[in-house]
């Protein structure tokens, strides 16, 4: 695993992410528009050369080996 970077919700994601991943980030942030996410941050790491983007609430965006982007949301307790 390679550490990438962190940025706040609403800030511009790193330019090195593909358009599909950036669109997934925008979609997640759009769903959170009614919540106070001012202290939330995204964490980007790289696993086997593919980005893994995780939000502080546990939402995770991954890129599969075939290039498919998936969004995993944490399940409620």
């Amino acid at each position: 695993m390679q550490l990438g970077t962190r940025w706040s919700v609403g800030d511009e994601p790193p330019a090195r992410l593909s358009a599909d991943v950036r669109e997934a980030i925008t979609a997640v942030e759009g769903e959170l528009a009614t919540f106070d996410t001012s202290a939330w941050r995204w964490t980007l790491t790289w696993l086997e050369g593919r980005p893994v983007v995780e939000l502080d609430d546990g939402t995770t965006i991954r890129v599969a080996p075939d290039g498919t982007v998936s969004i995993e949301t944490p399940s409620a307790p």
Side-chain angles (χ1 to χ4, degrees):
M1 183 184 300
Q2 176 185 0
L3 185 59
T5 190
R6 288 179 53 87
W7 69 98
S8 297
V9 169
D11 286 353
E12 190 69 25
R16 65 185 176 264
L17 293 173
S18 70
D20 290 342
V21 173
R22 293 167 63 90
E23 288 174 16
I25 292 167
T26 299
V28 170
E29 289 183 354
E31 293 176 8
L32 298 172
T34 60
F35 297 96
D36 177 13
T37 59
S38 59
W40 291 17
R41 296 175 55 90
W42 291 99
T43 301
L44 167 64
T45 55
W46 297 86
L47 183 60
E48 297 179 355
R50 293 186 305 276
V52 177
V53 184
E54 186 172 358
L55 188 56
D56 285 344
D57 76 341
T59 299
T60 305
I61 299 170
R62 297 179 187 274
V63 178
D66 67 359
T68 304
V69 176
S70 65
I71 301 172
E72 303 165 12
T73 55
S75 50

